[in-house]
Amino acid sequence: MFPRTEDDAGSISACGWDSTSAQHRRLIAHLEGGRRCTRAELERACDVPSVTKRLSELRARGWPIERRIGRTLSANGAQRRATFYRLTGPRLQRDLFTDT
C-alpha cells in the first residue's frame, strides 16, 4: 500500500493520491459561494469524480447541503433534468460521542 500524504493545497499528494478529505474541502469551498450548482459543475470545478458520493458523506457528517431536482439547458439547447446542490448554512453540531 502506498502512503497517502497531502500537500499544502490539500489536493493531490506527491504520490498521486487525491484524498477524500481534500475532495470534501474543495466541494465545501465551492458551495460556500451560496449559489446552487449542478453535479456536473461541481465535478468540473472541484475535480471530484464522485460528487454525489462525496456530498452524501458530507451530509451524513452534518453539512446542510440541500438537494433539489430542476431543469437546465443541454449543449444543444434542449431542457433536461438536473440535480442541484446548495449549502444552506454552517455545519450542524453532531452527537459529541460519534466520530463524524
Side-chain angles (χ1 to χ4, degrees):
M1 189 85 168
F2 295 102
R4 295 179 73 174
T5 59
E6 292 182 17
D7 61 11
D8 291 334
S11 59
I12 298 176
S13 69
C15 63
W17 290 93
D18 188 12
S19 74
T20 302
S21 61
Q23 293 177 25
H24 287 163
R25 285 193 299 273
R26 290 196 305 270
L27 286 168
I28 291 298
H30 192 78
L31 289 170
E32 283 180 332
R35 64 185 192 86
R36 62 187 202 150
C37 304
T38 65
R39 182 214 44 85
E41 179 185 349
L42 289 168
E43 185 177 313
R44 281 189 308 272
C46 301
D47 192 26
V48 175
S50 300
V51 170
T52 53
K53 181 176 184 174
R54 298 296 168 244
L55 289 174
S56 292
E57 293 165 353
L58 287 168
R59 291 171 81 187
R61 292 180 178 168
W63 285 96
I65 298 171
E66 177 183 81
R67 178 182 175 265
R68 294 253 171 123
I69 304 298
R71 299 260 176 213
T72 188
L73 294 178
S74 66
N76 65 3
Q79 283 196 2
R80 65 176 180 84
R81 184 177 176 266
T83 303
F84 292 89
Y85 297 93
R86 184 172 68 96
L87 188 63
T88 60
R91 184 176 180 186
L92 301 174
Q93 173 105 16
R94 299 294 298 227
D95 188 330
L96 296 175
F97 301 105
T98 61
D99 188 25
T100 57

